[in-house]
Structure formats: structure tokens, C-alpha cells
Amino acid sequence: MKILKFGGTSVGSVESISKLLQIIEREDQSSGNPVVVLSAMSGVTNLLSSMADKASQGGAFHDELKELEERHFDVIKELLAVSRQNPVFTQLRILFNEIEDLLQGVSMLRELTPRTRDLVLSYGERCSTFMISKIVGQEKDNTMFVNAADLVKTDSSFGQAKVNIELTEMLIRDFYEKNKAKMLFVTGFIASNDDGRVTTLGRGGSDYTAAIFGSALNASEIEIWTDVNGMMTADPRMVKKAFSLPELSYTEAMELSFFGAKVIYPPTMIPAFMKKIPIVIRNTFEPEFAGSVIKHNCDSSDLAIKGISSINDTSIINIEGSGMVGKAGFSGRLFSLLAREQINVILITQSSSEHSITFAIHPTDAAKAQRVIEHEFELELLAKKLEAPVFEKGLAVLAIVGENMKQTPGISGKLFHALGRNGINVRAIAQGSSEYNISVIISKDDLNKGLNAVHDAFFVDLNKTLNLFCLGTGNIGKTLFRQVQEHRQFLQEHNGIQIRVVGISNTRKMYFDPDGIDLENWEKTLDYSGHAADLPGFVEKMKNMNLPNCVFADNTASLKPIEFYHEIFSSNISIVTCNKIGNSSSYAQYKLFKDTARIHGVDYFYETNVGAGLPIVRTLKDLMVSGDRVLSIEAILSGTISYIFNNYKGDVTFHDIVKQAQEKGYTEPDPRDDLKGTDFMRKMLILARDAGYPLEAEDVHIESMLPQSCIDAQSVDEFYDELRKEGAFFENLKKQAEDGRKVLRYIAKLEDGKATINLQMVDDTHPFYALSGSDNIISFTTDRYKERPMVVKGPGAGADVTAAGVFADIVNVGAQ
């Protein structure tokens, strides 16, 4: 025999009740008469509570009462045969009249006692259960409405009554024996005291009723039918990747439920736990889904934790002072006081010196807690043996739960790394001696981010999500989006990473979507749905979205984004950039960015600052990290200049080859940044700094290859005019090189902390002689690579390779 309990959403509408009827029919056919426990229709308990509050203040409540009637009557009209409707309407009208009379009395007295509130609230379950029993009864002649207040006996703690288990189970068994042939429809949530006064069982009381009946009747199973697919790894409204757990132990379920998982109420499990009766959480709207089984002996699991739970709003109280140190009984006195005042303590943590105690409570209890603590410890406060209690609000509890935590090392480290890397400050920590639970208190504003970050950290079979904010939609930005879209499946299967672009901005428009922007149509979305571009606004929105694992990708060559790097790092957001300006401005700024990223535990990747997609920056970093010493670096790091001089041969003019390089996307927007050596200097300066030399731009000696007239041109168009006029100058350079069987190469060198860049003519004995296309080449001479330097060579310009370098840096953020 099974107990079937249906929650408010399962009886909340015609559609859901239709599904409920199918479930009851299936269970009746497969296992015989189930006992069906029902909640009030969704929202009805809150509606009754609101009506009672209004009545106690002399307010009108008749509109709500009419709404209550209509909701029930609409269901009856839809699901009950016309010939059977009148008796049901009559009985429900009697109940609604009783509610009205009660509320009229409350209104006249201007008083709402806990006893009266319980009586008012009980009508929600009585109406829904009677209604459902009659709807099922038109197909079956053995249905019976049961008011649980006649069977479940409690004390007189109205609102949160304590059940007399022994008496209750005896009454239930006797009643069931007399009515075995009936299909019982039982009101959840409500009970009565020894005087027959209606009491209620508190939050989740209908679940508790189901468990009490299951225990009394030694049911084979208790099924809790709700609107989610069982117990999930986290709140699916906050963590989109949350998934259902096939099974978990009573202890795990109780821990998750205590810390906010609303699928089941902790006391529900106690009667089932005592009899080792499995509890199954099922979804009324997906009855084919197996759901989650809570049982005594679970199969072994590979999961380090079973779930992440949360209490979305809490307050903490910190008490400290010398009067606590070594004072026997202080904690007992404090928590006995709170217990007497019915103030529930969520978690407790105490310093090892006994100098302070911190505990968390519900925000509604904060004012009362402050008042009673100050009264109880008045003498200690006056004598300065205790400091005034400090109350903090706007906080939340995040808890990880699982029986495997006890034998799995590194659980705490993984939790705090995930929180710390995302800039989430932990205000208090508590861990039970059983090691089934680690709880932390964090800012309420960080809860969504924290849940997602921790979920990504622990459930490694799922893809880690990187939330990407992209600035710049030029050649590199467009190509990056295409590459991310094309390699999405590969990244998920082979790297366990999902890149979700959640913000895009160019100089005209910006657009955000926390669920991810469709990269197939991002241009249309940006043009038609985007707001006017505003860089400070973009950064502020990125911060306020407060998403986990954020990456800011700067795909521009502008100075403006650099001004926000420090702020972005300080907000615990990683930066990937192909913009060289940040690292090649002052050394103080370069060091500030590096230090800030390190302090906040985020990444700063800029591989494409030097050599586009070539692994130059990472190679140098690996050499330095492994303890090697760089003796010298020699390089051609301008794909533009490499392309120009590799193709400046025959009859082609220098003007035409530069123009051609720009058309192919090899040059900066102003080609003089390349030809003057400015861009080259920035790259060499970055390498010098990464090699440990605190050089400034003026420390790099540059010999320009351009005549002064070209440098002084007022615009790019004017520059090309001057370049054409200076054709003879460049023809002369080409002729000198050809006459000496040499080639022109613009080469940089770093040696003994000094950096130079100049135009050289090299013969076929030089390693840079055979360079072709737009390739870059760099040679590292180190203590380990002294006789034969390490050489990295390949394409150093172009949107594809640069975007690929940015892409690789983003993926590397996900690997951290």
C-alpha cells in the first residue's frame, strides 16, 4: 500500500487535477487503494492568511472570498458531471459561509489569535480534499473524504503543533482497519488538540501528514507529488544546470531540506526514517519521470556531494567579549534563551579562543533576538565584559551536502576556491562533526553567482560555463564569434567548457542576455535590440549581472577600455585581450594589472599582444616559471612589416605593398603604427617586462624606416600620398639589399636589459633570412637554450589567427 501526497500545484488548476486523476487511477490499478493526502490549491493558504490579516485590521476581505469560491467552483464545473455538482456546491458553500462567519468575528474583535488563524487556514485543505474526493468518486464508488483533524492529535502549539505520535498512529490504524475497502482522501497540514481544537503542523505540514499515515500503516512507499523532477542538485530557478538525483539518504535529504530545499520538509522524513519507508519525490506534470528516492541504504555514488542548498535571506548576530572566555555555560545560557523565545538558530560558529560566537537566524527574528539578548546579558554589557551584539542582514546561507564528503579530501578547498575566484566573501563557516555538510554565509546579492560557481566546481560531468563579455565587433570580434560557434560541440566534449556570450558592445550599440546571445544572429540582435553603446555602462552592467566565471574580452585597439581594467579585475572578472596598449603603457600600469589580477585570483591572458596566435607569451612565461634565465630575445614581431618586406620585390612599389597589406587586414588601422615601429615596440616592451625587465617605452631604441614626411602626415590618406612621393627612397633600400644578395628585415633585440628595433639587411646565414608571407619569428636564447636557441615561427597577423589566440586564452581561463 502506498501513500500519495499531492502538493498545491498538483491541485491548483483543472489541467493539474486532470493529471492527478490519471496518476491515482494508475496507482489504484497497480497496487490497490492508495491513501491520498492533499494540500490546499496553490495560493489558497496565502489567500486565507491574507484575508485573516485584513479582517483583524477591519479591512474588507469579500473579494478574496469570492475568488476562493470561484477557483473551486470552476474546477467542479469542468471536471464533475452536471448531475453530481449540486451536492458538492452545497457542501462547499457551507464551508465558505463558515469562513465568512469566522472572518466577520475576527473583524469585529480586531483580534487574530494563533488558534483562530489555524482554524481559518484549515479550510484550504478541507475544501480541496473534499472536492477531489468527489471528482474521483464519480468513477469509483469507494472514495471517502477524511478530515485529518479527527485522527492526527497534537499539543496546543498553534501554528506549529507537535504530534502525539503514539495516539495518532493508534487512531489512524483503527480507522484504516474499519475502512480498508475505501480509497481515503485525507486533508494534509491540519490536526487537532485534546480539546478537538484545530491545529496546523507548520510549513510542509501536508508532507508530514503523509509521513505520519505512512508510518502508522507501514506503507511500502510514500510518494510526494510536486512540480519538480525530484530532489535536485540545486534550486533550478537559480542554477539552470541543476539535475535530478536518482537517490539520496534520509540524512542527505534532511540536510538539503533544512538549508532551503523546498521540495520536502525535514520533519516529514522522521516518521519514514524510523520505519525505513522510502520517500519518492515525483513530478505531477512529468509522471513518467522516475523522480528521486530517499531511502535508508543508498547505492554508492561517485559524486563528492549530493547537492547545494541555500537559504535566500538570513541575518547573523555576532557576540564577543572577554566575559565569554572560559565562562562555563555561556553558550547554554545564550541558546536556551533563544529556544525559550522560539527563535530558530540556523547555524552556529565559535572562535577557538571562545572570544566570540556567531549564529544565523531568520531576519524576522532579528529584532526580537536583539531585544532578549540585551535584556538577558544587561549586566555583562554594562560591565563591558561583552560588546554590544552586532547584527548583519542581507545575507544568505549556501550549504553543500553529501555523505561522501567525509571520505573525500579537498572538499573544503574546492568550495572556497570556487567562491574566492568569483569574488564571493565568506562571512561565517560551519561544518557538522558528521562532515555531511559545510555551510557558509555570504552576501544575499552573491547567492546566485555562488550557487552556479560551486555547482560548476563540484559536478565536473557537466560543462563549466564561462560567461563572456565581448568588446569590439571588428574583424577579430566577428571571427571569434564564428570560431566559438563552430567549436561549441568540440569544447563541450573534449574540454568540458561551455562559452556563453552574454554581452556584446561596439562603438554604436551594446546588448546583454544572461542566458546567452545567439551567435548565429548576433549582428541583427545587436543592431535591432541593442542600446546605445556606453563603455562605463557596459562595465557597470557586467558587474551588476554578477555572473560566475566571467571573462571580459577586449578585441579593440583603443585606449578607452584600458581605463577600466583595474576596476574589472577588482570585480573578480578575468580579462583576455589582444589590445596591447594596457601592457605597453607605463610599467606601473602593467604591474598594477598583473598584481590586481593575482590578488583577486583571476586570469589576465594576452597571448595575442605578441605574435597573434603564436605561443610566444606563454612560452616565455613557462621558461621563467621553470627557473630558466633569458639571455637574449631576437624577433620579427610585425606580421605587417614581415609581409611587406617579404613581398617588396620586383616592380611592385612600396606604396602598393603597404596598401595591399592593409586590405588583407595585416596592419593596424593606421599603418604607421606598424611602419614607425610603434606596434613592434609595444610587443617588445611586453616581452621585456614578462622577462623581468621594468622597461618604459622610451627605453626601447627605435630606428624608423619611414621618411619624416610620411610620419608627419595628418591623416591615413595623406600618409599614402607621402608614401607614393617617397618611392625613390624605398627603391634605393631594395636595390642595396639586392645588390648585396641580402633581404630587408626589421628586427628587434633584447639583451642585457636593453631593447633595440632597426631595419637590417641580412644574408642567407641569418635565421630570419628565409622568412615568408606575414610570418613572425622569435628566437629565445636562455641558459638551457644557449647553443641552439628556441625558435617560434608562424603567422603573426590576420583575423583568423588572432581570434584563435583570443579563443585559446578564453578556453585557458576555463581550465583554471
Side-chain angles (χ1 to χ4, degrees):
M1 191 269 292
K2 287 184 181 180
I3 307 293
L4 308 182
K5 181 266 173 180
F6 292 91
T9 52
S10 299
V11 295
S13 66
V14 170
E15 179 192 4
S16 60
I17 293 172
S18 299
K19 291 183 178 295
L20 174 152
L21 298 176
Q22 294 171 11
I23 293 165
I24 291 175
E25 176 63 25
R26 187 185 66 197
E27 291 295 338
D28 185 34
Q29 290 179 2
S30 64
S31 58
N33 282 348
V35 173
V36 182
V37 178
L38 296 162
S39 296
M41 295 180 77
S42 58
V44 164
T45 302
N46 288 339
L47 189 64
L48 288 165
S49 182
S50 172
M51 290 161 62
D53 288 334
K54 285 183 177 180
S56 69
Q57 296 165 16
F61 54 83
H62 293 89
D63 288 346
E64 286 94 335
L65 185 58
K66 184 172 179 58
E67 179 188 340
L68 188 68
E69 290 182 12
E70 287 177 351
R71 285 194 64 185
H72 290 80
F73 287 177
D74 286 347
V75 171
I76 293 165
K77 290 172 186 175
E78 191 72 30
L79 296 178
L80 199 61
V82 174
S83 60
R84 292 173 173 265
Q85 289 179 5
N86 278 337
V88 180
F89 283 144
T90 301
Q91 183 58 43
L92 285 177
R93 283 194 181 98
I94 291 171
L95 294 175
F96 294 139
N97 288 338
E98 289 177 8
I99 297 171
E100 185 176 18
D101 291 344
L102 261 175
L103 295 177
Q104 290 286 14
V106 170
S107 181
M108 291 176 66
L109 294 171
R110 296 290 196 276
E111 182 182 38
L112 180 64
T113 64
R115 187 175 81 175
T116 304
R117 182 184 287 277
D118 272 7
L119 183 55
V120 171
L121 297 184
S122 72
Y123 282 91
E125 273 69 19
R126 288 157 69 181
C127 289
S128 67
T129 306
F130 176 76
M131 178 179 70
I132 299 296
S133 70
K134 294 302 179 183
I135 292 171
V136 176
Q138 68 185 333
E139 300 294 335
K140 299 180 180 298
D141 57 7
N142 66 335
T143 61
M144 182 178 186
F145 166 73
V146 181
N147 187 344
D150 298 332
L151 303 176
V152 181
K153 292 299 178 179
T154 70
D155 63 10
S156 297
S157 300
F158 296 99
Q160 190 78 47
K162 184 178 180 182
V163 177
N164 182 334
I165 293 293
E166 189 175 342
L167 175 59
T168 296
E169 290 199 352
M170 183 187 73
L171 292 172
I172 290 172
R173 281 194 293 268
D174 287 349
F175 181 84
Y176 183 75
E177 284 299 318
K178 295 172 184 175
N179 297 281
K180 269 186 178 180
K182 303 285 187 182
M183 182 182 290
L184 306 180
F185 287 80
V186 182
T187 58
F189 181 57
I190 60 178
S192 65
N193 64 9
D194 292 339
D195 297 327
R197 299 286 186 183
V198 170
T199 60
T200 61
L201 304 179
R203 182 173 71 86
S206 293
D207 290 350
Y208 195 16
T209 304
I212 291 167
F213 270 77
S215 174
L217 302 176
N218 290 312
S220 62
E221 194 171 272
I222 300 167
E223 290 186 355
I224 308 291
W225 289 85
T226 181
D227 58 356
V228 294
N229 285 334
M231 292 284 281
M232 305 191 78
T233 51
D235 186 340
R237 294 167 299 180
M238 302 177 79
V239 181
K240 296 289 172 57
K241 294 182 185 177
F243 59 92
S244 298
L245 293 162
E247 63 177 33
L248 60 167
S249 70
Y250 291 114
T251 303
E252 289 170 331
M254 280 194 276
E255 291 280 0
L256 284 169
S257 299
F258 178 77
F259 285 98
K262 296 180 175 61
V263 175
I264 195 167
Y265 184 48
T268 299
M269 284 170 278
I270 295 172
F273 178 81
M274 299 301 292
K275 296 282 184 74
K276 297 182 181 179
I277 300 170
I279 300 173
V280 186
I281 312 297
R282 303 286 295 274
N283 189 344
T284 303
F285 305 96
E286 290 187 44
E288 68 283 354
F289 191 82
S292 300
V293 181
I294 303 168
K295 60 183 184 178
H296 179 66
N297 289 316
C298 289
D299 295 334
S300 60
S301 169
D302 294 333
L303 297 174
I305 68 170
K306 280 290 179 71
I308 309 159
S309 197
S310 59
I311 299 175
N312 296 359
D313 194 11
T314 190
S315 296
I316 62 171
I317 303 175
N318 188 59
I319 301 175
E320 60 180 58
S322 59
M324 296 168 57
V325 180
K327 186 75 171 179
F330 181 88
S331 298
R333 183 179 165 195
L334 171 64
F335 294 114
S336 294
L337 166 69
L338 297 173
R340 284 198 307 272
E341 297 295 332
Q342 304 269 307
I343 297 171
N344 183 43
V345 176
I346 297 168
L347 64 79
I348 306 165
T349 181
Q350 183 173 18
S351 67
S352 57
S353 66
E354 300 182 19
H355 187 261
S356 67
I357 292 178
T358 299
F359 58 93
I361 60 175
H362 195 275
T364 55
D365 291 329
K368 183 180 180 182
Q370 181 173 11
R371 186 173 64 254
V372 299
I373 290 170
E374 289 176 348
H375 181 267
E376 175 72 19
F377 297 100
E378 183 178 8
L379 294 178
E380 288 88 342
L381 290 166
L382 288 172
K384 301 297 183 184
K385 290 184 178 180
L386 286 182
E387 301 294 330
V390 177
F391 290 75
E392 294 184 55
K393 57 184 181 179
L395 302 171
V397 178
L398 183 153
I400 58 172
V401 172
E403 290 186 343
N404 280 355
M405 289 168 58
K406 190 168 186 176
Q407 61 260 24
T408 307
I411 293 292
S412 299
K414 187 177 287 190
L415 169 65
F416 295 118
H417 175 76
L419 295 173
R421 183 170 172 81
N422 284 281
I424 299 171
N425 186 37
V426 174
R427 310 301 299 274
I429 305 164
Q431 180 173 14
S433 57
S434 64
E435 296 186 44
Y436 288 160
N437 168 336
I438 301 175
S439 308
V440 296
I441 292 184
I442 61 176
S443 169
K444 183 179 177 181
D445 293 338
D446 286 332
L447 181 59
N448 193 299
K449 187 202 307 196
L451 286 169
N452 281 277
V454 173
H455 198 273
D456 265 6
F458 279 100
F459 296 105
V460 294
D461 287 344
L462 302 177
N463 293 311
K464 181 177 182 179
T465 299
L466 294 180
N467 290 297
L468 185 63
F469 295 84
C470 291
L471 195 64
T473 59
N475 287 337
I476 295 171
K478 286 179 181 177
T479 307
L480 174 64
F481 294 150
R482 176 174 55 79
Q483 291 176 352
V484 169
Q485 182 69 7
E486 288 175 353
H487 294 87
R488 186 182 300 274
Q489 192 68 29
F490 178 87
L491 273 181
Q492 292 179 2
E493 291 177 2
H494 297 274
N495 296 75
I497 292 172
Q498 176 186 358
I499 297 175
R500 183 168 59 192
V501 179
V502 292
I504 300 176
S505 181
N506 54 28
T507 56
R508 298 176 294 102
K509 293 286 189 74
M510 63 182 187
Y511 180 77
F512 300 89
D513 185 344
D515 294 324
I517 298 168
D518 180 6
L519 295 184
E520 293 281 1
N521 301 293
W522 68 267
E523 289 184 89
K524 287 183 180 178
T525 302
L526 186 62
D527 287 340
Y528 295 113
S529 303
H531 301 289
D534 170 29
L535 185 52
F538 184 86
V539 173
E540 194 61 29
K541 177 69 173 178
M542 175 173 65
K543 289 161 54 182
N544 291 339
M545 286 173 73
N546 207 24
L547 298 172
N549 307 318
C550 284
V551 185
F552 174 76
D554 180 5
N555 298 318
T556 74
S558 169
L559 175 64
K560 292 180 180 178
I562 309 301
E563 299 170 5
F564 295 92
Y565 278 19
H566 182 260
E567 180 182 347
I568 292 168
F569 284 133
S570 298
S571 301
N572 291 86
I573 296 172
S574 296
I575 294 179
V576 169
T577 181
C578 59
N579 189 340
K580 292 176 279 293
I581 298 174
N583 286 327
S584 59
S585 296
S586 71
Y587 178 76
Q589 177 176 276
Y590 163 88
K591 191 171 188 305
L592 176 67
F593 291 164
K594 301 278 278 190
D595 291 346
T596 308
R598 186 182 68 254
I599 289 167
H600 288 275
V602 292
D603 294 311
Y604 182 30
F605 291 150
Y606 46 89
E607 184 65 74
T608 50
N609 278 194
V610 182
L614 293 179
I616 294 173
V617 172
R618 184 169 293 276
T619 298
L620 177 56
K621 179 183 177 182
D622 290 344
L623 290 170
M624 300 292 292
V625 167
S626 65
D628 204 354
R629 184 169 64 97
V630 175
L631 302 176
S632 69
I633 298 174
E634 195 170 10
I636 294 176
L637 293 174
S638 170
T640 307
I641 297 175
S642 183
Y643 177 85
I644 289 168
F645 285 116
N646 288 336
N647 291 279
Y648 184 39
K649 58 185 71 170
D651 295 332
V652 68
T653 66
F654 197 75
H655 167 277
D656 291 346
I657 201 64
V658 172
K659 193 76 172 174
Q660 190 180 106
Q662 186 176 35
E663 289 168 355
K664 287 181 175 290
Y666 292 155
T667 74
E668 295 294 317
D670 186 340
R672 285 173 293 182
D673 284 348
D674 298 292
L675 297 175
K676 286 190 302 183
T678 305
D679 184 60
F680 203 158
M681 177 275 295
R682 290 172 180 159
K683 296 174 181 177
M684 206 61 197
L685 189 60
I686 293 167
L687 287 179
R689 289 171 174 176
D690 281 0
Y693 297 104
L695 299 187
E696 300 290 354
E698 54 268 25
D699 296 327
V700 181
H701 178 68
I702 305 176
E703 292 181 12
S704 176
M705 70 177 75
L706 290 175
Q708 196 62 38
S709 61
C710 295
I711 295 172
D712 293 340
Q714 296 300 303
S715 66
V716 174
D717 289 340
E718 195 175 313
F719 157 72
Y720 276 114
D721 291 339
E722 293 297 327
L723 202 59
R724 184 178 283 108
K725 293 175 186 177
E726 296 288 352
F729 171 80
F730 294 104
E731 284 298 318
N732 185 50
L733 286 174
K734 181 171 67 172
K735 188 174 186 308
Q736 285 183 47
E738 289 174 349
D739 289 348
R741 295 186 178 180
K742 296 180 179 180
V743 291
L744 294 168
R745 296 289 182 258
Y746 200 50
I747 299 173
K749 188 168 186 178
L750 173 70
E751 191 170 27
D752 298 328
K754 295 179 181 178
T756 59
I757 304 173
N758 55 31
L759 186 63
Q760 299 178 28
M761 297 181 189
V762 301
D763 60 24
D764 57 6
T765 63
H766 195 285
F768 294 177
Y769 177 85
L771 201 64
S772 61
S774 62
D775 282 359
N776 280 192
I777 188 168
I778 185 165
S779 171
F780 294 103
T781 302
T782 71
D783 284 342
R784 294 181 193 148
Y785 296 93
K786 189 179 293 183
E787 300 302 323
R788 300 183 64 188
M790 178 189 290
V791 175
V792 179
K793 176 186 173 185
D800 277 339
V801 292
T802 303
V806 173
F807 191 8
D809 276 348
I810 293 168
V811 173
N812 281 324
V813 172
Q816 301 304 305

